Amino acid sequence: MFHYEKFSSFVRRDVPLAMYTRLQLGGTAEFFAEPSTEDELFTLLKHCRSENTLVRVIGSGSNVLVSEEGVSGVVLSLAAPVFCGITIQGQTATAGAGAKLGRFITAAVTQGLSGLEEFIGIPGTVGGALRGNTKIHCGTDIGHWVESITVSDFDGNKNVLSRSSVSFGNQTGGLENQLLLSAAFRLDREDAVLLSKRMQKNWIVRKAHQPTGEMASACAFVNPIPGGVLAAELIEQNGLKGMKIGGVSVSERNPSFILAEPEATVNDVLRLLKLVQEQVSKHSEIELETSIEYWK
């Protein structure tokens, strides 16, 4: 049993999670933790382990869908400043897991460090990008630039992993059972002015292919073949662009995104994801993966 009263200074009960997700859907967290120091974090993790309390980590919620019934256990947010710091020394740029990916990339580019500018415009945190091993269309993954990652296990034990000890070849980077705290990236030197112009161009191009407007949206599908056919192309080829179930639809602007209207439900999202996957598999013989993580 989780003893909430021990952590009442930074843990709240029955917190609505919709406001913490890009789709703005879903129920409440039984407990929602926002530690402000590493000591608070590690003490919480050790207690949760001893009481067999499930811990989930939420970043920017760009790829999280929460059950309407909510989730039990502790939902952990690393949004405090201690987990969001950015430092640059020489060719090494380091960011806390809670730092916004775009802010980190901009900081590196301003200092004339290149390599990550191709990822500009991708929503989320540094920790989320590493956990999902974010890739760009040419096939390069963000793990390519990692020098080391500082993690904690769910017993509250801190450790530093070298790049060679992390399996960045797969979708998750082999970090499923680790809580990311920060990462150091070894980047290339380049003229800061030219690099900034390239980053701005990349940002404009990416934003031009993302939904606009007031509806909540999320990138829902993974490109199946790096450097090959895009998920958006497969969805459009199968006549699914604009497909709608309830209050959720496939984006006309970029079919790899889904849009949620105010009346949308979690079930609408699940049904639409399943429909798209089934139709693509049936007609294109490609198993399209969803990037949406469903919490229930």
Side-chain angles (χ1 to χ4, degrees), residues 17 22 44 55 64 75 81 88-89 96 132 143 146 152 155 163 174 191 212 239-240 256 272 285:
L17 290 177
R22 284 288 296 267
L44 174 68
V55 177
V64 173
V75 173
I88 296 175
Q89 293 184 329
V146 167
S152 169
D155 289 309
R163 189 194 185 286
D191 180 82
T212 58
L240 299 169
S256 64
L272 185 62
E285 298 183 351

Side-chain angles (χ1 to χ4, degrees), residues 252-294:
E252 294 272 4
R253 191 181 184 93
N254 183 340
S256 64
F257 280 75
I258 58 173
L259 308 175
E261 298 175 357
E263 67 271 21
T265 67
V266 171
N267 190 50
D268 292 341
V269 175
L270 296 174
R271 289 169 58 206
L272 185 62
L273 294 178
K274 183 178 180 181
L275 174 65
V276 171
Q277 290 175 309
E278 288 177 345
Q279 291 299 308
V280 169
S281 175
K282 178 179 178 180
H283 299 290
S284 302
E285 298 183 351
I286 293 177
E287 299 298 326
L288 199 58
E289 287 186 55
T290 178
S291 55
I292 299 291
E293 184 179 348
Y294 181 45

Side-chain angles (χ1 to χ4, degrees), residues 92-106:
T92 300
T94 303
K100 298 296 185 184
L101 181 62
R103 180 170 173 265
F104 176 53
I105 294 170
T106 301

Side-chain angles (χ1 to χ4, degrees), residues 100 118 130 147 224 236 265:
K100 298 296 185 184
E118 297 289 342
L130 287 170
E147 186 173 57
E236 183 171 2
T265 67

Side-chain angles (χ1 to χ4, degrees), residues 47-280:
H47 180 76
C48 289
R49 177 68 86 182
S50 68
E51 299 297 332
N52 293 317
T53 300
L54 177 64
V55 177
R56 311 173 203 241
V57 182
I58 192 163
S60 65
S62 55
N63 296 104
V64 173
L65 178 67
V66 181
S67 165
E68 299 279 10
E69 288 72 36
V71 291
S72 60
V74 173
V75 173
L76 175 63
S77 170
L78 298 181
V82 69
F83 304 112
C84 299
I86 295 171
T87 59
I88 296 175
Q89 293 184 329
Q91 289 180 234
T92 300
T94 303
K100 298 296 185 184
L101 181 62
R103 180 170 173 265
F104 176 53
I105 294 170
T106 301
V109 165
T110 301
Q111 296 298 313
L113 296 180
S114 72
L116 299 178
E117 65 278 359
E118 297 289 342
F119 296 87
I120 195 70
I122 295 176
T125 60
V126 172
L130 287 170
R131 181 166 297 283
N133 197 23
T134 298
K135 293 179 175 63
I136 50 179
H137 181 46
C138 67
T140 301
D141 59 66
I142 197 167
H144 173 80
W145 301 99
V146 167
E147 186 173 57
S148 64
I149 300 178
T150 302
V151 301
S152 169
D153 61 23
F154 284 88
D155 289 309
N157 300 307
K158 190 174 179 179
N159 191 23
V160 178
L161 305 176
S162 65
R163 189 194 185 286
S164 60
S165 64
V166 181
S167 304
F168 279 112
N170 62 38
Q171 181 65 27
T172 63
L175 297 166
E176 301 91 333
N177 299 314
Q178 303 286 344
L179 174 63
L180 277 67
L181 299 177
S182 65
F185 297 78
R186 181 72 175 179
L187 303 174
D188 295 331
R189 278 284 180 199
E190 193 169 332
D191 180 82
V193 174
L194 295 177
L195 188 54
S196 293
K197 289 180 179 178
R198 188 161 78 244
M199 180 185 70
Q200 291 169 9
K201 181 180 178 181
N202 292 338
W203 187 87
I204 291 169
V205 170
R206 179 161 279 119
K207 288 299 180 181
H209 291 86
Q210 292 181 4
T212 58
E214 297 181 356
M215 277 196 291
S217 66
C219 185
F221 297 100
V222 178
N223 292 326
I225 305 170
V229 64
L230 298 173
E233 293 171 346
L234 284 169
I235 295 167
E236 183 171 2
Q237 289 168 8
N238 284 280
L240 299 169
K241 186 166 72 170
M243 175 68 67
K244 185 175 181 180
I245 293 181
V248 182
S249 60
V250 175
S251 171
E252 294 272 4
R253 191 181 184 93
N254 183 340
S256 64
F257 280 75
I258 58 173
L259 308 175
E261 298 175 357
E263 67 271 21
T265 67
V266 171
N267 190 50
D268 292 341
V269 175
L270 296 174
R271 289 169 58 206
L272 185 62
L273 294 178
K274 183 178 180 181
L275 174 65
V276 171
Q277 290 175 309
E278 288 177 345
Q279 291 299 308
V280 169

Side-chain angles (χ1 to χ4, degrees), residues 12-17 27-32 70-75:
R12 293 177 286 152
R13 297 199 65 164
D14 301 323
V15 174
L17 290 177
T28 61
E30 184 180 13
F31 301 102
F32 189 83
V71 291
S72 60
V74 173
V75 173

